[in-house]
Short mmCIF file of all heavy atoms in Angstrom, two decimals:
data_model
loop_
_atom_site.label_atom_id
_atom_site.label_comp_id
_atom_site.label_asym_id
_atom_site.label_seq_id
_atom_site.Cartn_x
_atom_site.Cartn_y
_atom_site.Cartn_z
N TRP A 1 -20.62 1.00 -6.62
CA TRP A 1 -21.76 1.59 -7.32
C TRP A 1 -22.04 0.83 -8.64
O TRP A 1 -23.20 0.74 -9.08
CB TRP A 1 -21.51 3.06 -7.63
CG TRP A 1 -21.65 3.93 -6.43
CD1 TRP A 1 -20.67 4.49 -5.68
CD2 TRP A 1 -22.88 4.38 -5.83
NE1 TRP A 1 -21.18 5.23 -4.65
CE2 TRP A 1 -22.54 5.18 -4.71
CE3 TRP A 1 -24.24 4.13 -6.10
CZ2 TRP A 1 -23.51 5.75 -3.89
CZ3 TRP A 1 -25.20 4.70 -5.27
CH2 TRP A 1 -24.84 5.52 -4.20
N LEU A 2 -20.99 0.33 -9.27
CA LEU A 2 -21.15 -0.29 -10.57
C LEU A 2 -22.08 -1.50 -10.55
O LEU A 2 -22.96 -1.62 -11.42
CB LEU A 2 -19.78 -0.70 -11.11
CG LEU A 2 -19.70 -1.36 -12.50
CD1 LEU A 2 -18.44 -0.90 -13.24
CD2 LEU A 2 -19.69 -2.88 -12.42
N ILE A 3 -21.96 -2.33 -9.55
CA ILE A 3 -22.78 -3.54 -9.46
C ILE A 3 -24.27 -3.21 -9.29
O ILE A 3 -25.12 -3.73 -10.00
CB ILE A 3 -22.25 -4.46 -8.36
CG1 ILE A 3 -20.92 -5.09 -8.85
CG2 ILE A 3 -23.25 -5.57 -8.02
CD1 ILE A 3 -20.16 -5.85 -7.80
N PRO A 4 -24.62 -2.34 -8.34
CA PRO A 4 -26.04 -1.97 -8.21
C PRO A 4 -26.61 -1.27 -9.44
O PRO A 4 -27.75 -1.54 -9.85
CB PRO A 4 -26.07 -1.01 -6.99
CG PRO A 4 -24.87 -1.39 -6.20
CD PRO A 4 -23.85 -1.79 -7.21
N ILE A 5 -25.81 -0.41 -10.08
CA ILE A 5 -26.26 0.31 -11.29
C ILE A 5 -26.54 -0.69 -12.41
O ILE A 5 -27.53 -0.63 -13.09
CB ILE A 5 -25.23 1.35 -11.70
CG1 ILE A 5 -25.19 2.51 -10.73
CG2 ILE A 5 -25.54 1.88 -13.12
CD1 ILE A 5 -24.03 3.47 -10.94
N GLU A 6 -25.64 -1.66 -12.58
CA GLU A 6 -25.81 -2.65 -13.62
C GLU A 6 -27.06 -3.52 -13.36
O GLU A 6 -27.70 -3.97 -14.30
CB GLU A 6 -24.58 -3.54 -13.67
CG GLU A 6 -24.65 -4.70 -14.66
CD GLU A 6 -24.72 -4.26 -16.12
OE1 GLU A 6 -24.42 -3.08 -16.41
OE2 GLU A 6 -25.09 -5.11 -16.95
N SER A 7 -27.39 -3.71 -12.08
CA SER A 7 -28.58 -4.52 -11.76
C SER A 7 -29.88 -3.80 -12.05
O SER A 7 -30.92 -4.44 -12.18
CB SER A 7 -28.53 -4.92 -10.28
OG SER A 7 -28.92 -3.84 -9.44
N ARG A 8 -29.83 -2.47 -12.15
CA ARG A 8 -31.06 -1.70 -12.24
C ARG A 8 -31.25 -0.96 -13.57
O ARG A 8 -32.37 -0.84 -14.07
CB ARG A 8 -31.06 -0.66 -11.11
CG ARG A 8 -32.39 0.13 -10.95
CD ARG A 8 -33.50 -0.76 -10.45
NE ARG A 8 -33.11 -1.51 -9.27
CZ ARG A 8 -33.18 -1.00 -8.03
NH1 ARG A 8 -33.66 0.21 -7.84
NH2 ARG A 8 -32.81 -1.76 -7.01
N PHE A 9 -30.15 -0.46 -14.16
CA PHE A 9 -30.27 0.41 -15.33
C PHE A 9 -29.52 -0.19 -16.52
O PHE A 9 -28.66 -1.04 -16.37
CB PHE A 9 -29.72 1.80 -15.03
CG PHE A 9 -30.36 2.44 -13.80
CD1 PHE A 9 -29.61 2.54 -12.61
CD2 PHE A 9 -31.65 2.90 -13.83
CE1 PHE A 9 -30.20 3.11 -11.48
CE2 PHE A 9 -32.24 3.47 -12.71
CZ PHE A 9 -31.50 3.56 -11.53
N VAL A 10 -29.86 0.31 -17.71
CA VAL A 10 -29.22 -0.16 -18.95
C VAL A 10 -28.18 0.86 -19.38
O VAL A 10 -28.51 2.06 -19.59
CB VAL A 10 -30.27 -0.36 -20.05
CG1 VAL A 10 -29.59 -0.80 -21.36
CG2 VAL A 10 -31.31 -1.37 -19.64
N HIS A 11 -26.94 0.43 -19.49
CA HIS A 11 -25.84 1.31 -19.92
C HIS A 11 -24.92 0.53 -20.84
O HIS A 11 -24.82 -0.72 -20.77
CB HIS A 11 -25.00 1.78 -18.74
CG HIS A 11 -25.69 2.81 -17.88
ND1 HIS A 11 -25.72 4.14 -18.23
CD2 HIS A 11 -26.35 2.72 -16.71
CE1 HIS A 11 -26.39 4.82 -17.31
NE2 HIS A 11 -26.78 3.99 -16.37
N THR A 12 -24.23 1.24 -21.69
CA THR A 12 -23.12 0.65 -22.43
C THR A 12 -21.96 0.42 -21.45
O THR A 12 -21.98 0.91 -20.32
CB THR A 12 -22.65 1.55 -23.58
OG1 THR A 12 -22.13 2.79 -23.02
CG2 THR A 12 -23.79 1.86 -24.55
N PHE A 13 -20.96 -0.32 -21.88
CA PHE A 13 -19.83 -0.64 -21.02
C PHE A 13 -19.15 0.64 -20.52
O PHE A 13 -18.91 0.77 -19.31
CB PHE A 13 -18.82 -1.49 -21.79
CG PHE A 13 -17.69 -2.00 -20.94
CD1 PHE A 13 -17.84 -3.17 -20.18
CD2 PHE A 13 -16.50 -1.32 -20.87
CE1 PHE A 13 -16.79 -3.61 -19.40
CE2 PHE A 13 -15.45 -1.76 -20.10
CZ PHE A 13 -15.58 -2.93 -19.35
N GLY A 14 -18.86 1.55 -21.43
CA GLY A 14 -18.22 2.81 -21.01
C GLY A 14 -19.11 3.67 -20.18
O GLY A 14 -18.65 4.26 -19.18
N SER A 15 -20.38 3.78 -20.55
CA SER A 15 -21.33 4.58 -19.82
C SER A 15 -21.53 4.06 -18.39
O SER A 15 -21.73 4.82 -17.45
CB SER A 15 -22.66 4.66 -20.58
OG SER A 15 -23.62 5.33 -19.83
N LEU A 16 -21.50 2.74 -18.26
CA LEU A 16 -21.66 2.12 -16.94
C LEU A 16 -20.59 2.60 -15.98
O LEU A 16 -20.89 3.01 -14.83
CB LEU A 16 -21.64 0.61 -17.08
CG LEU A 16 -21.64 -0.21 -15.78
CD1 LEU A 16 -22.91 0.03 -14.99
CD2 LEU A 16 -21.43 -1.69 -16.08
N HIS A 17 -19.33 2.56 -16.44
CA HIS A 17 -18.23 2.97 -15.58
C HIS A 17 -18.23 4.48 -15.32
O HIS A 17 -17.92 4.93 -14.21
CB HIS A 17 -16.90 2.54 -16.20
CG HIS A 17 -16.67 1.07 -16.14
ND1 HIS A 17 -17.26 0.15 -16.99
CD2 HIS A 17 -15.92 0.31 -15.24
CE1 HIS A 17 -16.88 -1.07 -16.68
NE2 HIS A 17 -16.06 -1.00 -15.63
N LYS A 18 -18.61 5.24 -16.32
CA LYS A 18 -18.67 6.69 -16.16
C LYS A 18 -19.78 7.03 -15.14
O LYS A 18 -19.57 7.91 -14.27
CB LYS A 18 -19.00 7.34 -17.50
CG LYS A 18 -19.07 8.88 -17.42
CD LYS A 18 -19.36 9.47 -18.80
CE LYS A 18 -19.47 10.99 -18.71
NZ LYS A 18 -19.76 11.59 -20.04
N THR A 19 -20.92 6.38 -15.23
CA THR A 19 -22.01 6.63 -14.31
C THR A 19 -21.64 6.22 -12.88
O THR A 19 -21.91 6.94 -11.91
CB THR A 19 -23.31 5.88 -14.73
OG1 THR A 19 -23.62 6.24 -16.10
CG2 THR A 19 -24.46 6.18 -13.83
N ALA A 20 -20.96 5.09 -12.74
CA ALA A 20 -20.52 4.64 -11.44
C ALA A 20 -19.55 5.60 -10.83
O ALA A 20 -19.60 5.93 -9.62
CB ALA A 20 -19.89 3.24 -11.55
N LEU A 21 -18.63 6.13 -11.65
CA LEU A 21 -17.66 7.12 -11.14
C LEU A 21 -18.39 8.41 -10.72
O LEU A 21 -18.06 8.99 -9.67
CB LEU A 21 -16.64 7.44 -12.24
CG LEU A 21 -15.58 8.47 -11.89
CD1 LEU A 21 -14.71 8.00 -10.75
CD2 LEU A 21 -14.70 8.77 -13.12
N THR A 22 -19.38 8.82 -11.49
CA THR A 22 -20.15 10.04 -11.15
C THR A 22 -20.91 9.82 -9.84
O THR A 22 -20.89 10.69 -8.96
CB THR A 22 -21.16 10.35 -12.28
OG1 THR A 22 -20.46 10.54 -13.49
CG2 THR A 22 -21.96 11.58 -11.96
N PHE A 23 -21.56 8.67 -9.70
CA PHE A 23 -22.27 8.38 -8.45
C PHE A 23 -21.33 8.38 -7.26
O PHE A 23 -21.70 8.86 -6.20
CB PHE A 23 -22.96 7.01 -8.57
CG PHE A 23 -24.33 7.06 -9.17
CD1 PHE A 23 -24.58 7.66 -10.37
CD2 PHE A 23 -25.42 6.49 -8.50
CE1 PHE A 23 -25.83 7.71 -10.96
CE2 PHE A 23 -26.70 6.51 -9.07
CZ PHE A 23 -26.90 7.13 -10.29
N ALA A 24 -20.14 7.81 -7.47
CA ALA A 24 -19.19 7.70 -6.37
C ALA A 24 -18.77 9.07 -5.84
O ALA A 24 -18.64 9.27 -4.63
CB ALA A 24 -17.98 6.91 -6.82
N PHE A 25 -18.55 10.04 -6.75
CA PHE A 25 -18.06 11.36 -6.33
C PHE A 25 -19.18 12.26 -5.90
O PHE A 25 -19.02 13.07 -4.95
CB PHE A 25 -17.22 11.99 -7.43
CG PHE A 25 -15.81 11.48 -7.48
CD1 PHE A 25 -15.44 10.50 -8.39
CD2 PHE A 25 -14.86 11.93 -6.60
CE1 PHE A 25 -14.13 10.02 -8.42
CE2 PHE A 25 -13.57 11.48 -6.59
CZ PHE A 25 -13.19 10.51 -7.51
N ILE A 26 -20.35 12.18 -6.56
CA ILE A 26 -21.47 13.04 -6.17
C ILE A 26 -21.98 12.63 -4.77
O ILE A 26 -22.41 13.47 -3.98
CB ILE A 26 -22.61 12.95 -7.19
CG1 ILE A 26 -22.20 13.64 -8.50
CG2 ILE A 26 -23.90 13.56 -6.67
CD1 ILE A 26 -23.22 13.59 -9.57
N ASN A 27 -21.95 11.35 -4.51
CA ASN A 27 -22.40 10.82 -3.19
C ASN A 27 -21.21 10.37 -2.36
O ASN A 27 -21.20 9.22 -1.83
CB ASN A 27 -23.37 9.67 -3.41
CG ASN A 27 -24.53 10.03 -4.31
OD1 ASN A 27 -25.48 10.68 -3.85
ND2 ASN A 27 -24.48 9.68 -5.57
N LEU A 28 -20.22 11.21 -2.22
CA LEU A 28 -18.95 10.83 -1.59
C LEU A 28 -19.12 10.26 -0.17
O LEU A 28 -18.53 9.22 0.16
CB LEU A 28 -17.97 11.99 -1.58
CG LEU A 28 -16.50 11.62 -1.41
CD1 LEU A 28 -16.06 10.65 -2.49
CD2 LEU A 28 -15.66 12.90 -1.50
N PRO A 29 -19.92 10.92 0.74
CA PRO A 29 -20.09 10.33 2.08
C PRO A 29 -20.73 8.92 2.02
O PRO A 29 -20.28 8.05 2.77
CB PRO A 29 -21.02 11.33 2.75
CG PRO A 29 -20.85 12.60 2.03
CD PRO A 29 -20.60 12.21 0.61
N LYS A 30 -21.70 8.74 1.17
CA LYS A 30 -22.30 7.40 1.03
C LYS A 30 -21.33 6.41 0.46
O LYS A 30 -21.29 5.22 0.89
CB LYS A 30 -23.57 7.49 0.17
CG LYS A 30 -24.77 8.14 0.81
CD LYS A 30 -25.98 8.07 -0.09
CE LYS A 30 -27.23 8.57 0.61
NZ LYS A 30 -27.15 9.98 0.98
N THR A 31 -20.51 6.85 -0.48
CA THR A 31 -19.49 5.97 -1.06
C THR A 31 -18.52 5.51 0.01
O THR A 31 -18.14 4.33 0.06
CB THR A 31 -18.73 6.70 -2.18
OG1 THR A 31 -19.62 7.13 -3.20
CG2 THR A 31 -17.65 5.79 -2.80
N ALA A 32 -18.11 6.44 0.88
CA ALA A 32 -17.23 6.08 1.99
C ALA A 32 -17.86 5.03 2.89
O ALA A 32 -17.20 4.07 3.31
CB ALA A 32 -16.84 7.33 2.78
N LEU A 33 -19.14 5.22 3.19
CA LEU A 33 -19.84 4.26 4.07
C LEU A 33 -19.97 2.88 3.38
O LEU A 33 -19.80 1.87 4.03
CB LEU A 33 -21.21 4.80 4.43
CG LEU A 33 -21.28 5.85 5.52
CD1 LEU A 33 -22.70 6.41 5.64
CD2 LEU A 33 -20.79 5.31 6.85
N LEU A 34 -20.24 2.91 2.09
CA LEU A 34 -20.35 1.66 1.34
C LEU A 34 -19.02 0.90 1.35
O LEU A 34 -18.99 -0.33 1.50
CB LEU A 34 -20.76 1.93 -0.11
CG LEU A 34 -22.21 2.41 -0.33
CD1 LEU A 34 -22.41 2.88 -1.76
CD2 LEU A 34 -23.21 1.31 0.03
N ILE A 35 -17.92 1.63 1.20
CA ILE A 35 -16.61 0.99 1.24
C ILE A 35 -16.32 0.42 2.63
O ILE A 35 -15.77 -0.68 2.79
CB ILE A 35 -15.53 2.00 0.82
CG1 ILE A 35 -15.63 2.34 -0.67
CG2 ILE A 35 -14.11 1.44 1.08
CD1 ILE A 35 -14.73 3.45 -1.14
N VAL A 36 -16.66 1.18 3.66
CA VAL A 36 -16.45 0.72 5.05
C VAL A 36 -17.25 -0.57 5.30
O VAL A 36 -16.73 -1.50 5.88
CB VAL A 36 -16.86 1.83 6.07
CG1 VAL A 36 -16.93 1.25 7.49
CG2 VAL A 36 -15.89 2.99 6.02
N ILE A 37 -18.52 -0.57 4.89
CA ILE A 37 -19.35 -1.77 5.04
C ILE A 37 -18.72 -2.97 4.35
O ILE A 37 -18.66 -4.07 4.88
CB ILE A 37 -20.78 -1.53 4.49
CG1 ILE A 37 -21.52 -0.50 5.37
CG2 ILE A 37 -21.57 -2.83 4.45
CD1 ILE A 37 -22.82 -0.01 4.79
N LEU A 38 -18.21 -2.71 3.13
CA LEU A 38 -17.57 -3.80 2.35
C LEU A 38 -16.32 -4.31 3.05
O LEU A 38 -16.11 -5.54 3.18
CB LEU A 38 -17.23 -3.28 0.96
CG LEU A 38 -16.51 -4.26 0.02
CD1 LEU A 38 -17.39 -5.49 -0.26
CD2 LEU A 38 -16.13 -3.57 -1.29
N ILE A 39 -15.46 -3.41 3.49
CA ILE A 39 -14.18 -3.80 4.11
C ILE A 39 -14.44 -4.52 5.46
O ILE A 39 -13.81 -5.54 5.74
CB ILE A 39 -13.28 -2.56 4.31
CG1 ILE A 39 -12.81 -2.03 2.97
CG2 ILE A 39 -12.07 -2.90 5.20
CD1 ILE A 39 -12.02 -0.73 3.06
N VAL A 40 -15.37 -3.97 6.25
CA VAL A 40 -15.67 -4.64 7.54
C VAL A 40 -16.20 -6.04 7.31
O VAL A 40 -15.82 -7.00 8.00
CB VAL A 40 -16.70 -3.80 8.33
CG1 VAL A 40 -17.24 -4.59 9.53
CG2 VAL A 40 -16.06 -2.49 8.83
N THR A 41 -17.06 -6.20 6.32
CA THR A 41 -17.60 -7.53 5.99
C THR A 41 -16.47 -8.48 5.58
O THR A 41 -16.44 -9.62 6.01
CB THR A 41 -18.64 -7.41 4.86
OG1 THR A 41 -19.69 -6.55 5.25
CG2 THR A 41 -19.23 -8.79 4.52
N ALA A 42 -15.59 -8.00 4.72
CA ALA A 42 -14.47 -8.82 4.27
C ALA A 42 -13.57 -9.23 5.43
O ALA A 42 -13.16 -10.42 5.51
CB ALA A 42 -13.66 -8.06 3.23
N VAL A 43 -13.27 -8.30 6.35
CA VAL A 43 -12.42 -8.63 7.49
C VAL A 43 -13.10 -9.68 8.39
O VAL A 43 -12.47 -10.63 8.84
CB VAL A 43 -12.11 -7.34 8.29
CG1 VAL A 43 -11.41 -7.67 9.60
CG2 VAL A 43 -11.23 -6.40 7.48
N VAL A 44 -14.40 -9.47 8.63
CA VAL A 44 -15.11 -10.42 9.50
C VAL A 44 -15.11 -11.82 8.85
O VAL A 44 -14.89 -12.83 9.54
CB VAL A 44 -16.59 -9.95 9.69
CG1 VAL A 44 -17.41 -11.07 10.37
CG2 VAL A 44 -16.62 -8.70 10.56
N LEU A 45 -15.30 -11.89 7.52
CA LEU A 45 -15.31 -13.20 6.86
C LEU A 45 -13.92 -13.85 6.88
O LEU A 45 -13.84 -15.10 6.89
CB LEU A 45 -15.77 -13.02 5.40
CG LEU A 45 -17.26 -12.70 5.23
CD1 LEU A 45 -17.56 -12.47 3.78
CD2 LEU A 45 -18.12 -13.80 5.79
N VAL A 46 -12.86 -13.08 6.89
CA VAL A 46 -11.50 -13.65 7.00
C VAL A 46 -11.35 -14.38 8.31
O VAL A 46 -10.79 -15.47 8.39
CB VAL A 46 -10.45 -12.55 6.83
CG1 VAL A 46 -9.06 -13.09 7.22
CG2 VAL A 46 -10.41 -12.05 5.40
N PHE A 47 -11.87 -13.77 9.40
CA PHE A 47 -11.68 -14.33 10.75
C PHE A 47 -12.79 -15.32 11.12
O PHE A 47 -12.56 -16.22 11.91
CB PHE A 47 -11.61 -13.22 11.78
CG PHE A 47 -10.34 -12.42 11.70
CD1 PHE A 47 -10.32 -11.19 11.07
CD2 PHE A 47 -9.15 -12.90 12.24
CE1 PHE A 47 -9.16 -10.44 10.99
CE2 PHE A 47 -7.98 -12.20 12.18
CZ PHE A 47 -7.97 -10.94 11.54
#
């Protein structure tokens, strides 16, 4: 969440991480899917 938030909104360093943490827990199912997409991509790139 941190990377997309930083690309779109203006936050201080601490506020950026706090907002990313909030987004991660409020949108927990989406966060899980985002992690799965990331991990699957990483595994495919390894092979």
Side-chain angles (χ1 to χ4, degrees):
W1 285 102
L2 182 142
I3 289 170
I5 290 170
E6 176 65 16
S7 77
R8 187 69 51 84
F9 306 107
V10 178
H11 286 280
T12 63
F13 186 85
S15 175
L16 173 64
H17 287 80
K18 181 180 178 181
T19 304
L21 180 62
T22 302
F23 272 54
F25 279 100
I26 290 179
N27 304 282
L28 201 55
K30 286 184 173 64
T31 302
L33 282 173
L34 291 170
I35 292 173
V36 168
I37 292 170
L38 178 62
I39 292 174
V40 169
T41 303
V43 171
V44 171
L45 289 177
V46 168
F47 290 100

